[in-house]
Amino acid sequence: MLTERQKDVKKYIAILGFGVVGGGCADVLAQNKKLISERCGFEIEVKYILDLRDFPDSPYADKVVHDYNIILNDPEVELVAEMMGGSHPALEFSLSAMKAKKSVVTSNKEVVATHGLELLACAKENGVTYMFEASVGGGIPVIHTIDTSLVQNDIKEIDGILNGTTNYILTRMNTSGAAFDEALAEAREKGYAEANPAADVDGIDACRKIAILAALAFGRLIAPESIHTEGIRSIDSVDVANASDAGYAVKLIGRTFAENDKICAYVCPMLVGASDPLSTVNDVFNGIKINGDAVGEVMLYGRGAGKMPTASAVVSDIINILTGNGVSYSWRRAEEGEITDFSDVVSRQYIRVSGESGLLASYKKAGDGAYITDAMSEADACKLEKALADEGCEIKARIRVLA
Amino acid sequence: MLTERQKDVKKYIAILGFGVVGGGCADVLAQNKKLISERCGFEIEVKYILDLRDFPDSPYADKVVHDYNIILNDPEVELVAEMMGGSHPALEFSLSAMKAKKSVVTSNKEVVATHGLELLACAKENGVTYMFEASVGGGIPVIHTIDTSLVQNDIKEIDGILNGTTNYILTRMNTSGAAFDEALAEAREKGYAEANPAADVDGIDACRKIAILAALAFGRLIAPESIHTEGIRSIDSVDVANASDAGYAVKLIGRTFAENDKICAYVCPMLVGASDPLSTVNDVFNGIKINGDAVGEVMLYGRGAGKMPTASAVVSDIINILTGNGVSYSWRRAEEGEITDFSDVVSRQYIRVSGESGLLASYKKAGDGAYITDAMSEADACKLEKALADEGCEIKARIRVLA
C-alpha cells in the first residue's frame, strides 16, 4: 500500500446487488476516493452496478445495468464485487465472472460457506482471486488477519461472537432482564433484526461464519449442515440472570478448534466467564478471539454488520486484489472422519431443574435449582439429563460453559 | 500467502540481537517451519545471528557471528531482523543493511519513533522495505491492519492501552486496592516490570508507540519529545477505587486524533467508561481502538509484550516482505504548527481535593472530595486548579476522562 502514484491509471470494477452493502461499497469508494487513490497509486472506478431495479435518484443511476453480460463482456472490468446475498444466482454470477478472468470479492457468507470449494477452485483455474473479508465479522478484518498477520502461527482455536442481532438480544436480556421475545421485539424496532429473524436467532448465520473461520484456520471446509448449531430462542432470562450472578455472560458462541487431527466446530449459547474478553463484547458488536501457538490470544472487536463497516471490508478486499496483494486459498472438503462428533465435545454444564436433585447436589450452585457441573462430554451430559428425568426432575435449561 | 510451493527455494535472513525477542523469532521460524514453508511457498532460513555474546548451548550456536560485515557482505541474506532495542547501534546497523539492499524488520519502538523518517527514506532510496509490526502492541497485528485492512478508511482517532506493565499495575490497584508501589513490586516479581521501570511507568514506552500509530494514521511523525506524556507514578489507589465506583477504569491511554488539520497526540492516565471496550483490557494485555470513517470502531486486543507474541509479529513482517507483500511508507515530519497544543485539549476532569470547595460543588460527585467536571480545555483546567488553590483546597488528584 502507499505505493508511488501511477498517474491517471484507473481500475474498473462492477458491483452486483445494489442493496445496503452494495450502496455502502459505492459510498466508501466515492467518499474516500482521494485517499484511496493516494494509497493505492491508482483510481478505482465503479463502472457498472447490476441490479434488477433502477435507481433514478441515485448519484450512481447512470451506472445501473440489468444485463450481466454487459459486465462479463467488458474487458476493462477487472473485478466484480458480489453483494447480492443468498446462494443463487450469486454462485453462478461469481463463477461466470471468474471464467471471464475477473476476480471476485463478496460479503456473502452463505455462498462462501456452502460453495466455497467450487468458487476457490474456479478462481485457481482461471488465475484470478476470490476473497470474502466481509463475510465474517462485518468491518472487523479477521480474515485478512488470519491470512497474513497470523500466517506464521499454528492456529489452535477460534471462538467468536459472530452475530450482532443475537448479541444485542442477549445483552438486553442481561441488562434489562427482558424475556427473549421482548428483546427480539426491541432489536426489530432498532433495525437490528429482520422481519424473519430465523437465520440470526437460530444460529444459521453464525454457523456459516464459523465454517469459514474453521476453513481459514485448518484448510478444510466443513459443510454447514455438519456443524452442530443451536440458537438462542430457548434462552430464559432467569438463566441469563443466574449466569450474571455467577460471573458469566450468556453469549452465542461459534467455536472451532483442532484436536487429534480432527476439527471441532459448533455454534451454541455458552456461559462466558468475566475474565474472557468475549464476555464484554456487548450490543450489536462482534468479537473474534484467535489462539495461535506463537501469538497467544488475540481478539478483534468491532461492528459485525451495518452498511459502512461491511462495505469497508469489501473495499479492503478490492484494494488488496487490485494492488496485487490478493490471497489464494487451498481448502479441501473436511471428510466425515475428520470432524469431531458433537457427542465427544467436553464442557462444564450449567443445568437448571425444577424439583429436588440428588445427582446435582455435589455441584456448584448457580441460582434456584441451577448448578454448574464439572467438565463432561455431550454424551455424558445427555445421560445426566436422562438420569435427572428418572429422578423426577424437569430440565429447565442446559447451557454449556466456555473453557 | 498460501502460494504455490516453489520447490527447494530458500530465503535467508539474519537476526540482530539474540535476546528474548531475537530468540523467540528463531524459535517461531523453527517451530512452524513446515507450516510457514507451505504457506509462503519457500523456506525461510536464519543464516546468521549477530550478538556480542556466544551461545554455545543454543541449537543456533553455529549461526552466531560477532562481525556485522559478514552479514552485510553476504548477498544471500535478503533481510535483517533487528531486535537489539535502543537507538544505537540499531539505527546504524539498519541503515547499513538497507544500503546493502537488504530489507529490515524491527521490534524496536525507540528507533522507529525517533529515527523513523531517516530509516524510511533510506529504505526508499535503496528500493528495500522497512517494517515494524512488533514495535507496537507486541503480537497484536495493529500496524498491518491499519496499513491494509483499514487503508480505505479515513482514520479519525486511535486510543490505546499500549503498555502491559502499567496496565498490570493499574489492574492490580483496581482489583486488590494495592498502592502503586505494592503493585509495581508485584509486577517486578512476576517479571512484568524491569529493574528500572521508568520507560514503562513514566509513559515513555507508550509515547513512542502513540508516535508510531499517529504517523501510520496521519502520515506525519511527531517527535516523541513533542508529545505530552504523563505516567502513572502519582496515581493513588483512592482514585482508582473512586473511579471504579463511578463506573470507570483508570488506564494509561495513548491517544491520537486529527482535527482542524492538526494532529493531537498525548499519553496520560485516563478514566475509561465501562461501555468502552478498552475499560475491560486488563492485566498485561494491550488494546488498541481505531476509529475509521467507514469501519467505525474496531479494537484489537492481545499480548502487548513477551517473547513469542512479539516474535510472531516480527515473523509476520519477514513473511510479508519475502512474499512481496511489504508496505512502503511516505511519512514526513509533523511541523510545530501541525501539532495541537496540549493546553487546547478538551476533556472532562476527575478532580479530588482536600478541603471544602465551592467551585466544584456543581459537578458530579465521585467520592470523598472527588468530582467529575464538564469538558474543559487543559488551559481552563489549570486555571481551575489555581482557583481551587486560592480557595484553600489542596489538589490531591486530577485525571482526565476519555470521551
Side-chain angles (χ1 to χ4, degrees):
Chain A
M1 237 52 57
L2 294 163
T3 53
E4 292 299 310
R5 183 71 187 273
Q6 300 162 255
K7 220 173 157 9
D8 301 328
V9 173
K10 274 191 190 185
K11 302 209 174 200
Y12 294 94
I13 70 163
I15 286 174
L16 309 189
F18 201 52
V20 172
V21 180
C25 178
D27 286 349
V28 170
L29 287 168
Q31 174 179 317
N32 289 341
K33 192 180 188 71
K34 185 162 168 285
L35 169 161
I36 292 170
S37 307
E38 279 169 13
R39 293 179 182 174
C40 292
F42 51 81
E43 267 183 45
I44 298 173
E45 183 147 328
V46 178
K47 189 162 181 182
Y48 304 107
I49 294 169
L50 182 77
D51 204 288
L52 294 171
R53 301 161 291 179
D54 276 308
F55 298 86
D57 301 327
S58 157
Y60 312 108
D62 60 324
K63 300 179 188 292
V64 175
V65 296
H66 307 301
D67 177 4
Y68 188 35
N69 287 312
I70 295 171
I71 295 169
L72 289 178
N73 294 331
D74 187 335
E76 268 195 342
V77 175
E78 284 186 47
L79 182 149
V80 164
E82 181 267 303
M83 291 164 282
M84 310 171 79
S87 279
H88 307 284
L91 171 65
E92 294 73 18
F93 280 21
S94 299
L95 293 173
S96 53
M98 292 193 280
K99 286 175 190 157
K101 312 298 177 198
K102 301 174 196 311
S103 289
V104 174
V105 306
T106 187
S107 60
N108 184 336
K109 54 225 132 207
E110 182 179 333
V111 80
V112 179
T114 317
H115 303 283
L117 298 177
E118 187 178 353
L119 287 158
L120 292 174
C122 180
K124 203 171 195 174
E125 268 166 40
N126 290 284
V128 294
T129 308
Y130 184 74
M131 287 175 80
F132 40 86
E133 177 65 82
S135 68
V136 181
I140 305 171
V142 60
I143 294 182
H144 195 67
T145 297
I146 295 173
D147 286 340
T148 60
S149 297
L150 302 182
V151 74
Q152 68 289 354
N153 278 262
D154 187 10
I155 304 281
K156 299 296 184 190
E157 178 167 343
I158 300 177
D159 302 320
I161 294 171
L162 302 170
N163 180 271
T165 307
T166 47
N167 203 41
Y168 179 82
I169 292 170
L170 291 169
T171 303
R172 290 303 296 155
M173 290 175 73
N174 191 22
T175 51
S176 76
F180 170 79
D181 287 334
E182 291 165 356
L184 171 59
E186 221 180 293
R188 275 213 186 99
E189 267 166 42
K190 297 217 169 197
Y192 297 154
E194 301 187 38
N196 178 359
D200 293 318
V201 302
D202 294 333
I204 300 165
D205 176 77
C207 168
R208 290 170 180 149
K209 291 169 177 170
I210 201 68
I212 296 170
L213 291 175
L216 287 163
F218 308 119
R220 282 168 279 181
L221 185 64
I222 308 176
E225 57 272 23
S226 300
I227 295 176
H228 179 91
T229 300
E230 296 175 29
I232 64 162
R233 277 186 209 268
S234 63
I235 298 292
D236 192 312
S237 53
V238 169
D239 300 307
V240 174
N242 283 345
S244 177
D245 290 343
Y248 295 91
V250 178
K251 298 290 182 189
L252 183 66
I253 297 291
R255 187 170 198 218
T256 185
F257 56 91
E259 203 174 47
N260 308 325
D261 279 331
K262 288 191 175 189
I263 303 168
C264 182
Y266 58 86
V267 172
C268 64
M270 299 190 91
L271 265 59
V272 181
S275 66
D276 188 320
L278 287 175
S279 70
T280 57
V281 175
N282 286 322
D283 297 318
V284 291
F285 283 89
N286 283 196
I288 299 134
K289 200 176 67 172
I290 304 164
N291 201 304
D293 67 339
V295 76
E297 191 175 293
V298 169
M299 186 178 82
L300 285 74
Y301 166 100
R303 295 196 172 272
K307 175 178 175 169
M308 296 302 271
T310 309
S312 171
V314 172
V315 175
S316 78
D317 276 349
I318 294 172
I319 291 176
N320 271 318
I321 292 177
L322 296 182
T323 54
N325 292 283
V327 175
S328 339
Y329 300 94
S330 306
W331 295 352
R332 61 178 181 77
R333 187 171 306 283
E335 305 298 338
E336 193 73 8
E338 297 178 319
I339 306 168
T340 304
D341 196 288
F342 190 66
S343 64
D344 294 331
V345 169
V346 172
S347 14
R348 287 186 297 146
Q349 311 278 335
Y350 166 94
I351 298 181
R352 179 166 59 89
V353 296
S354 68
E356 281 297 308
S357 162
L359 281 168
L360 293 173
S362 68
Y363 294 122
K364 193 185 150 215
K365 204 117 178 29
D368 192 24
Y371 300 83
I372 293 176
T373 73
D374 298 338
M376 60 180 75
S377 69
E378 277 300 311
D380 286 342
C382 291
K383 280 183 206 153
L384 175 61
E385 281 191 332
K386 196 172 170 308
L388 286 166
D390 292 344
E391 255 193 325
C393 289
E394 190 189 347
I395 315 278
K396 294 294 202 178
R398 177 161 75 88
I399 311 176
R400 295 155 196 102
V401 180
L402 181 64
Chain B
M1 235 48 59
L2 296 161
T3 53
E4 292 300 310
R5 184 70 187 271
Q6 299 163 255
K7 222 173 159 2
D8 300 327
V9 173
K10 273 192 190 184
K11 301 207 175 201
Y12 294 93
I13 70 163
I15 286 175
L16 309 189
F18 201 52
V20 173
V21 179
C25 177
D27 286 350
V28 170
L29 288 167
Q31 173 179 318
N32 290 341
K33 193 178 186 73
K34 184 162 169 284
L35 168 162
I36 292 170
S37 306
E38 280 170 12
R39 294 179 183 175
C40 292
F42 51 80
E43 267 184 44
I44 298 172
E45 184 147 325
V46 178
K47 190 161 182 183
Y48 305 107
I49 294 169
L50 181 77
D51 205 287
L52 294 171
R53 301 162 291 178
D54 276 308
F55 298 87
D57 302 327
S58 158
Y60 313 108
D62 61 324
K63 300 180 187 291
V64 175
V65 297
H66 307 300
D67 177 2
Y68 189 35
N69 287 312
I70 296 172
I71 296 170
L72 289 179
N73 294 331
D74 187 335
E76 268 196 343
V77 175
E78 284 185 47
L79 181 147
V80 163
E82 180 268 304
M83 291 164 283
M84 312 173 76
S87 279
H88 307 284
L91 171 65
E92 294 73 19
F93 280 21
S94 299
L95 293 172
S96 53
M98 292 194 279
K99 285 174 190 157
K101 312 297 177 199
K102 301 174 196 310
S103 289
V104 175
V105 306
T106 187
S107 60
N108 183 336
K109 54 226 129 201
E110 183 179 333
V111 79
V112 178
T114 316
H115 302 284
L117 298 178
E118 188 177 352
L119 287 157
L120 293 174
C122 180
K124 202 171 196 175
E125 267 165 38
N126 290 284
V128 295
T129 308
Y130 184 75
M131 286 174 80
F132 40 86
E133 178 65 83
S135 67
V136 181
I140 306 171
V142 59
I143 294 182
H144 194 67
T145 297
I146 295 173
D147 285 341
T148 61
S149 297
L150 301 183
V151 73
Q152 69 288 354
N153 278 261
D154 187 9
I155 305 280
K156 299 296 185 189
E157 179 166 343
I158 300 178
D159 302 320
I161 294 171
L162 302 171
N163 180 272
T165 308
T166 46
N167 203 42
Y168 180 82
I169 293 170
L170 291 170
T171 303
R172 291 302 298 153
M173 290 175 73
N174 191 22
T175 52
S176 76
F180 170 80
D181 287 334
E182 292 164 355
L184 171 60
E186 223 181 290
R188 274 213 187 98
E189 268 168 42
K190 297 219 168 194
Y192 297 155
E194 301 186 39
N196 177 358
D200 292 319
V201 302
D202 294 333
I204 300 165
D205 176 77
C207 167
R208 289 170 181 148
K209 291 169 177 170
I210 201 68
I212 296 170
L213 291 175
L216 287 162
F218 308 119
R220 281 167 279 180
L221 185 64
I222 308 176
E225 58 272 23
S226 300
I227 295 177
H228 178 91
T229 300
E230 295 175 31
I232 64 162
R233 278 187 209 268
S234 63
I235 297 291
D236 192 312
S237 54
V238 170
D239 299 307
V240 174
N242 283 344
S244 178
D245 291 343
Y248 295 90
V250 178
K251 298 288 182 190
L252 183 65
I253 297 291
R255 187 170 198 218
T256 184
F257 56 90
E259 204 174 49
N260 307 326
D261 279 330
K262 288 192 176 188
I263 304 168
C264 182
Y266 58 88
V267 172
C268 65
M270 299 189 90
L271 266 60
V272 181
S275 65
D276 188 319
L278 288 174
S279 70
T280 58
V281 175
N282 286 322
D283 297 319
V284 291
F285 283 89
N286 283 195
I288 298 135
K289 200 175 68 172
I290 304 163
N291 200 304
D293 66 338
V295 76
E297 192 174 292
V298 169
M299 187 179 80
L300 285 76
Y301 166 100
R303 292 195 174 275
K307 176 178 174 167
M308 296 302 271
T310 309
S312 171
V314 172
V315 175
S316 78
D317 275 350
I318 294 173
I319 292 177
N320 271 318
I321 292 177
L322 295 181
T323 55
N325 292 283
V327 174
S328 336
Y329 299 93
S330 306
W331 296 351
R332 59 178 181 78
R333 186 172 308 283
E335 305 299 337
E336 192 73 8
E338 297 178 318
I339 306 168
T340 304
D341 196 287
F342 190 66
S343 65
D344 294 332
V345 168
V346 172
S347 13
R348 287 186 297 146
Q349 311 278 335
Y350 165 94
I351 297 180
R352 179 165 59 91
V353 296
S354 69
E356 282 297 309
S357 163
L359 281 167
L360 293 173
S362 67
Y363 294 122
K364 193 184 151 215
K365 213 133 174 6
D368 192 25
Y371 301 83
I372 294 177
T373 72
D374 298 338
M376 61 179 75
S377 69
E378 276 301 310
D380 286 341
C382 292
K383 280 183 207 156
L384 175 60
E385 282 191 332
K386 197 173 169 307
L388 286 165
D390 292 345
E391 255 193 326
C393 291
E394 190 189 347
I395 315 278
K396 294 294 201 176
R398 176 161 75 89
I399 311 176
R400 294 154 197 104
V401 180
L402 181 63

